[in-house]
Short mmCIF file of all heavy atoms in Angstrom, two decimals:
data_model
loop_
_atom_site.label_atom_id
_atom_site.label_comp_id
_atom_site.label_asym_id
_atom_site.label_seq_id
_atom_site.Cartn_x
_atom_site.Cartn_y
_atom_site.Cartn_z
N GLN A 265 1.48 88.18 -41.93
CA GLN A 265 0.23 88.87 -42.25
C GLN A 265 -0.89 88.67 -41.17
O GLN A 265 -1.70 89.54 -41.00
CB GLN A 265 -0.25 88.54 -43.71
CG GLN A 265 -0.85 87.18 -43.86
CD GLN A 265 0.31 86.15 -43.98
OE1 GLN A 265 1.41 86.42 -43.98
NE2 GLN A 265 -0.13 84.86 -44.09
N VAL A 266 -0.83 87.52 -40.59
CA VAL A 266 -1.71 87.20 -39.47
C VAL A 266 -1.51 88.14 -38.26
O VAL A 266 -2.53 88.52 -37.53
CB VAL A 266 -1.79 85.77 -39.12
CG1 VAL A 266 -2.88 85.45 -38.02
CG2 VAL A 266 -2.00 84.96 -40.37
N HIS A 267 -0.29 88.44 -37.97
CA HIS A 267 0.05 89.14 -36.82
C HIS A 267 0.01 90.70 -37.11
O HIS A 267 -0.24 91.49 -36.06
CB HIS A 267 1.50 88.85 -36.42
CG HIS A 267 1.66 87.35 -35.99
ND1 HIS A 267 1.57 86.95 -34.74
CD2 HIS A 267 1.98 86.23 -36.80
CE1 HIS A 267 1.84 85.62 -34.71
NE2 HIS A 267 2.00 85.15 -35.92
N GLN A 268 0.16 91.07 -38.30
CA GLN A 268 0.36 92.56 -38.63
C GLN A 268 -0.97 93.27 -38.27
O GLN A 268 -2.02 92.89 -38.60
CB GLN A 268 0.51 92.76 -40.20
CG GLN A 268 0.75 94.19 -40.57
CD GLN A 268 2.29 94.50 -40.39
OE1 GLN A 268 2.99 93.64 -40.33
NE2 GLN A 268 2.51 95.75 -40.21
N GLY A 269 -0.90 94.28 -37.44
CA GLY A 269 -2.04 95.16 -36.97
C GLY A 269 -2.82 94.54 -35.85
O GLY A 269 -3.75 95.22 -35.42
N LEU A 270 -2.43 93.40 -35.41
CA LEU A 270 -3.23 92.83 -34.19
C LEU A 270 -3.17 93.68 -33.00
O LEU A 270 -2.05 94.19 -32.71
CB LEU A 270 -2.67 91.36 -33.94
CG LEU A 270 -3.63 90.39 -33.18
CD1 LEU A 270 -4.91 90.13 -34.03
CD2 LEU A 270 -2.87 89.01 -32.85
N VAL A 271 -4.24 93.89 -32.29
CA VAL A 271 -4.31 94.62 -31.13
C VAL A 271 -4.43 93.62 -29.97
O VAL A 271 -5.28 92.77 -29.87
CB VAL A 271 -5.61 95.56 -31.03
CG1 VAL A 271 -5.65 96.31 -29.65
CG2 VAL A 271 -5.38 96.51 -32.23
N LEU A 272 -3.46 93.78 -28.95
CA LEU A 272 -3.36 92.72 -27.88
C LEU A 272 -3.53 93.56 -26.47
O LEU A 272 -3.04 94.68 -26.29
CB LEU A 272 -1.98 92.19 -27.80
CG LEU A 272 -1.52 91.41 -29.10
CD1 LEU A 272 -0.07 91.10 -29.08
CD2 LEU A 272 -2.49 90.24 -29.40
N PRO A 273 -4.28 92.96 -25.50
CA PRO A 273 -4.39 93.68 -24.24
C PRO A 273 -3.02 93.40 -23.50
O PRO A 273 -2.40 92.51 -23.75
CB PRO A 273 -5.57 92.87 -23.62
CG PRO A 273 -5.67 91.53 -24.32
CD PRO A 273 -5.15 91.87 -25.73
N LEU A 274 -2.84 94.37 -22.58
CA LEU A 274 -1.75 94.34 -21.77
C LEU A 274 -1.59 93.18 -20.76
O LEU A 274 -0.63 92.52 -20.36
CB LEU A 274 -1.34 95.57 -20.92
CG LEU A 274 -1.04 96.80 -21.79
CD1 LEU A 274 -0.77 97.95 -20.88
CD2 LEU A 274 0.00 96.55 -22.71
N SER A 275 -2.85 92.76 -20.33
CA SER A 275 -3.06 91.73 -19.29
C SER A 275 -3.28 90.33 -19.95
O SER A 275 -4.04 90.24 -20.93
CB SER A 275 -4.15 92.07 -18.37
OG SER A 275 -5.35 92.16 -19.04
N GLY A 276 -2.43 89.43 -19.52
CA GLY A 276 -2.68 88.05 -19.98
C GLY A 276 -2.12 87.58 -21.28
O GLY A 276 -2.32 86.54 -21.78
N THR A 277 -1.34 88.50 -21.94
CA THR A 277 -0.69 88.15 -23.18
C THR A 277 0.75 88.19 -22.99
O THR A 277 1.35 88.94 -22.19
CB THR A 277 -1.08 89.09 -24.25
OG1 THR A 277 -0.68 90.41 -23.95
CG2 THR A 277 -2.71 89.04 -24.46
N LEU A 278 1.44 87.44 -23.94
CA LEU A 278 2.88 87.41 -23.78
C LEU A 278 3.60 88.77 -24.03
O LEU A 278 4.43 89.10 -23.19
CB LEU A 278 3.42 86.42 -24.81
CG LEU A 278 4.78 85.59 -24.57
CD1 LEU A 278 4.50 84.67 -23.39
CD2 LEU A 278 5.16 84.81 -25.74
N MET A 279 3.22 89.42 -25.03
CA MET A 279 3.81 90.73 -25.36
C MET A 279 3.38 91.80 -24.30
O MET A 279 4.07 92.64 -23.86
CB MET A 279 3.56 91.21 -26.81
CG MET A 279 4.04 90.30 -27.75
SD MET A 279 3.76 90.87 -29.49
CE MET A 279 5.21 91.86 -29.82
N GLY A 280 2.05 91.71 -23.89
CA GLY A 280 1.55 92.57 -22.89
C GLY A 280 2.32 92.42 -21.56
O GLY A 280 2.55 93.55 -20.92
N LEU A 281 2.57 91.21 -21.12
CA LEU A 281 3.19 91.09 -19.82
C LEU A 281 4.66 91.54 -19.94
O LEU A 281 5.11 92.14 -18.90
CB LEU A 281 3.25 89.57 -19.48
CG LEU A 281 1.87 88.96 -19.05
CD1 LEU A 281 2.10 87.40 -18.95
CD2 LEU A 281 1.50 89.49 -17.75
N SER A 282 5.39 91.43 -20.97
CA SER A 282 6.67 92.03 -21.17
C SER A 282 6.62 93.47 -20.97
O SER A 282 7.51 94.11 -20.45
CB SER A 282 7.26 91.51 -22.57
OG SER A 282 8.50 92.07 -22.60
N PHE A 283 5.58 94.15 -21.75
CA PHE A 283 5.48 95.67 -21.64
C PHE A 283 5.17 96.10 -20.33
O PHE A 283 5.82 96.98 -19.75
CB PHE A 283 4.35 95.97 -22.62
CG PHE A 283 4.24 97.54 -22.69
CD1 PHE A 283 4.94 98.22 -23.64
CD2 PHE A 283 3.31 98.12 -21.96
CE1 PHE A 283 4.84 99.66 -23.82
CE2 PHE A 283 3.13 99.56 -22.04
CZ PHE A 283 3.89 100.33 -22.91
N SER A 284 4.26 95.39 -19.57
CA SER A 284 3.80 95.82 -18.28
C SER A 284 4.93 95.61 -17.22
O SER A 284 5.11 96.48 -16.39
CB SER A 284 2.67 94.97 -17.89
OG SER A 284 1.54 95.17 -18.73
N THR A 285 5.67 94.59 -17.34
CA THR A 285 6.68 94.34 -16.40
C THR A 285 8.15 94.74 -16.69
O THR A 285 8.98 94.79 -15.96
CB THR A 285 6.94 92.79 -16.08
OG1 THR A 285 7.17 92.09 -17.39
CG2 THR A 285 5.57 92.17 -15.56
N ALA A 286 8.21 95.33 -17.93
CA ALA A 286 9.52 95.73 -18.47
C ALA A 286 10.58 94.74 -18.30
O ALA A 286 11.75 95.06 -17.93
CB ALA A 286 9.93 97.11 -17.74
#
Side-chain angles (χ1 to χ4, degrees):
Q265 68 280 0
V266 183
H267 300 264
Q268 188 84 25
L270 199 62
V271 176
L272 305 170
L274 293 185
S275 59
T277 62
L278 210 64
M279 300 182 86
L281 288 172
S282 179
F283 183 88
S284 301
T285 60

